[in-house]
């Protein structure tokens, strides 16, 4: 671990992830907090999609979605997930694997209230992942709900957060001649201490 210096230095992977994200916010043109979230369905078939990471906590990563969506059903079923966060401008990425739990309390309410009114209405209107006849149908539902819910809609029960508590976090940075730098933080369970290992590129 003696050569884990510079951008890889530190004793806390969540602090390191926050530092990398802060750098990306200065250089990435769009959505520096975008992650490619991977799940598996009941048959073990993998699925992936882009979502926006909303918080790096002291021990986990949090994002929000519709609890009726395909991703939510897969998260609830497996209770495990993985994601990768990649920044072209920095030539870096972070990979995470871990256990999943819901965030459907005051923290979810607070985040929902911070969203724009149109986004909150949209969350109410969308039956995420379900078939839709036309965009016009969705817009009509949004308009109807906008009148019904008013200027301060509450968070719907079918919408909230997920928290990924990792057992593995890998930090990767581009290196000359494709000799990249990789450091993998691992622990047997979320209560255990981290160990760190440099990996071959």
């Amino acid at each position: 671990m003696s050569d884990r210096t510079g951008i890889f230095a530190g004793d806390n992977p969540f602090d390191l992830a926050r530092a990398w994200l802060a750098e990306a916010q200065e250089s990435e043109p769009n959505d520096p907090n975008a992650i490619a979230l991977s799940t598996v369905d009941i048959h073990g078939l993998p699925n992936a999609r882009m979502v926006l990471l909303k918080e790096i906590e002291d021990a986990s990563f949090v994002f929000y979605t519709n609890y009726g969506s395909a991703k939510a059903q897969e998260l609830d079923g497996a209770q495990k997930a993985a994601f990768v966060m990649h920044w072209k401008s920095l030539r870096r990425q972070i990979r995470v694997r871990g256990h999943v739990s819901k965030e459907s309390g005051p923290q979810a309410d607070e985040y929902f209230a911070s969203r724009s009114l149109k986004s909150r209405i949209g969350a109410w209107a969308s039956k995420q992942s379900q078939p839709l006849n036309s965009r016009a149908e969705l817009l009509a539902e949004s308009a109807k709900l906008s009148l019904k819910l008013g200027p301060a809609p509450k968070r719907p029960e079918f919408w909230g957060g997920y928290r990924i508590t990792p057992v593995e976090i890998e930090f990767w940075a581009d290196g000359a001649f494709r000799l990249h730098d990789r450091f993998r933080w691992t622990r047997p369970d979320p209560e255990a201490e981290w160990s760190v290992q440099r990996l071959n590129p």
Side-chain angles (χ1 to χ4, degrees):
M1 286 177 27
S2 60
D3 63 341
R4 193 164 54 82
T5 59
I7 62 170
F8 293 99
D11 298 322
N12 184 315
F14 299 100
D15 288 342
L16 191 54
R18 280 189 284 262
W20 281 28
L21 177 56
E23 280 192 68
Q25 288 169 338
E26 300 299 320
S27 60
E28 283 292 295
N30 294 299
D31 296 331
N33 60 328
I35 61 175
L37 176 70
S38 297
T39 56
V40 293
D41 67 14
I42 58 172
H43 306 292
L45 189 65
N47 217 337
R49 79 288 285 160
M50 303 303 295
V51 301
L52 296 179
L53 183 69
K54 289 301 179 181
E55 190 170 356
I56 302 176
E57 299 179 326
D58 290 339
S60 57
F61 300 85
V62 181
F63 64 93
Y64 293 86
T65 191
N66 186 310
Y67 287 149
S69 65
K71 81 173 79 63
Q73 292 170 27
E74 291 166 4
L75 289 165
D76 292 342
Q79 296 289 301
K80 297 179 182 73
F83 72 79
V84 60
M85 178 178 273
H86 176 250
W87 301 292
K88 289 185 178 181
S89 62
L90 296 178
R91 297 180 179 273
R92 297 182 205 168
Q93 69 179 22
I94 299 174
R95 297 171 61 207
V96 172
R97 303 169 73 202
H99 302 282
V100 174
S101 60
K102 274 184 175 176
E103 173 48 66
S104 56
Q107 186 173 329
D109 294 337
E110 183 178 347
Y111 171 66
F112 188 79
S114 75
R115 304 176 88 212
S116 72
L117 177 58
K118 287 185 178 180
S119 293
R120 283 177 280 163
I121 295 297
W124 274 95
S126 175
K127 298 176 178 64
Q128 198 171 99
S129 301
Q130 299 302 309
L132 178 66
N133 290 324
S134 68
R135 182 168 181 80
E137 182 181 292
L138 179 61
L139 293 174
E141 181 67 9
S142 294
K144 182 175 76 175
L145 286 169
S146 182
L147 292 172
K148 178 182 177 182
L149 298 172
K154 302 287 188 183
R155 178 179 64 86
E157 290 185 1
F158 58 78
W159 191 99
Y162 281 99
R163 179 176 282 107
I164 299 178
T165 302
V167 293
E168 183 177 312
I169 307 177
E170 182 188 307
F171 295 87
W172 176 101
D174 185 49
F177 310 109
R178 303 198 67 76
L179 299 179
H180 312 306
D181 289 304
R182 296 174 63 189
F183 288 93
R184 183 175 61 196
W185 298 63
T186 56
R187 55 186 179 179
D189 62 73
E191 304 304 317
E193 295 295 318
W194 291 103
S195 62
V196 189
Q197 178 68 59
R198 179 185 273 276
L199 303 179
N200 273 280

